Amino acid sequence: DVKVTQSSRYLVKRTGEKVFLECVQDMDHENMFWYRQDPGLGLRLIYFSYDVKMKEKGDIPEGYSVSREKKERFSLILESASTNQTSMYLCASSPPFNSPLHFGNGTRLTVT
Amino acid sequence: ELKVEQNPLFLSMQEGKNYTIYCNYSTTSDRLYWYRQDPGKSLESLFVLLSNGAVKQEGRLMASLDTKARLSTLHITAAVHDLSATYFCAVNSGNTPLVFGKGTRLSVIA
């Protein structure tokens, strides 16, 4: 079974802090994704990566960056956290496109 | 730009009843996915629909795809409480990431 592990289930940070959300997958998947989920808005794509050291902007990249130094790990970085980044963050991975995504359990981030 | 619309967004239904969730999308797509999310949990894949006329069934859930109408339906038969969850459809086109609908929160009541 594919396992996508997000390092924190709950996280509370202060405005202006730099925040790292870590995601690791164990199935050698090429593609990895970061979504945020907000009530009434569904899932929105922040960034994705289809190979090591490659990254592409999704629909809402502002205020975020990512890092993919190893195939199994995809990190989401909030350079200076703001209250409007309070959300549920979901990491996912997949083999090449046109395959189902496998999601992690999510990180609920609160920025105060 | 690919857009995905689901309706209804909220659905409260009685046990034993049938209902359908609709998913419309705006441009030609390669495939359509249905996911389920339980409260506080992550998303799990339910169905992948690959071609026009595709139908997949598991238990009380049946999903179908009409690519000409750009429409997928998720039909619930004789609902039970265990089906209470949020259901998402998602679509992609070519080598692009999935675009998700806003989800349908289903509540099955006795």
Side-chain angles (χ1 to χ4, degrees):
Chain A
D1 246 6
V2 177
K3 193 158 186 185
V4 180
T5 303
Q6 293 184 232
S7 55
S8 302
R9 190 79 176 92
Y10 299 95
L11 214 50
V12 180
K13 295 291 182 181
R14 293 191 182 274
T15 301
E17 278 193 80
K18 190 169 186 175
V19 182
F20 293 86
L21 302 183
E22 307 286 349
C23 175
V24 177
Q25 51 97 2
D26 66 359
M27 283 301 290
D28 202 36
H29 283 168
E30 286 83 357
N31 298 332
M32 295 189 75
F33 307 83
W34 276 105
Y35 288 89
R36 67 178 277 179
Q37 183 177 15
D38 300 288
L41 297 178
L43 276 73
R44 293 179 292 164
L45 182 64
I46 306 171
Y47 268 96
F48 65 102
S49 167
Y50 49 85
D51 202 352
V52 177
K53 297 193 186 294
M54 305 297 285
K55 60 185 179 184
E56 296 282 343
K57 291 180 180 179
D59 299 317
I60 52 164
E62 296 78 19
Y64 303 95
S65 62
V66 289
S67 172
R68 193 160 180 206
E69 296 295 318
K70 293 185 178 182
K71 191 173 186 179
E72 67 270 19
R73 185 180 296 269
F74 193 35
S75 302
L76 180 69
I77 303 155
L78 286 66
E79 296 290 343
S80 176
S82 64
T83 54
N84 63 12
Q85 292 178 308
T86 291
S87 186
M88 170 69 86
Y89 290 88
L90 294 168
C91 175
S93 73
S94 77
F97 286 109
N98 289 330
S99 302
L101 299 185
H102 299 267
F103 282 88
N105 284 334
T107 295
R108 185 167 292 284
L109 172 67
T110 302
V111 182
T112 60
Chain B
E1 182 189 348
L2 176 57
K3 291 189 185 298
V4 180
E5 286 192 8
Q6 280 181 243
N7 68 84
L9 298 182
F10 298 93
L11 177 57
S12 180
M13 54 189 298
Q14 282 189 311
E15 282 188 330
K17 298 290 188 184
N18 304 335
Y19 210 83
T20 300
I21 299 170
Y22 297 88
C23 175
N24 289 91
Y25 53 97
S26 61
T27 65
T28 303
S29 169
D30 290 330
R31 53 191 63 194
L32 188 139
Y33 301 79
W34 284 97
Y35 286 85
R36 169 181 172 145
Q37 184 180 37
D38 291 303
K41 302 278 183 69
S42 194
L43 280 75
E44 68 173 286
S45 178
L46 289 174
F47 301 112
V48 182
L49 301 169
L50 302 179
S51 59
N52 190 44
V55 176
K56 293 273 184 82
Q57 181 162 8
E58 176 145 348
R60 299 172 189 275
L61 299 177
M62 184 173 73
S64 65
L65 179 62
D66 180 346
T67 57
K68 293 178 183 174
R70 296 178 186 159
L71 171 68
S72 179
T73 59
L74 181 66
H75 187 72
I76 302 151
T77 301
V80 293
H81 180 71
D82 285 352
L83 291 179
S84 297
T86 300
Y87 294 86
F88 292 91
C89 65
V91 178
N92 73 335
S93 180
N95 288 336
T96 60
L98 288 182
V99 177
F100 284 80
K102 292 183 178 178
T104 297
R105 187 187 293 180
L106 171 66
S107 177
V108 181
I109 54 178

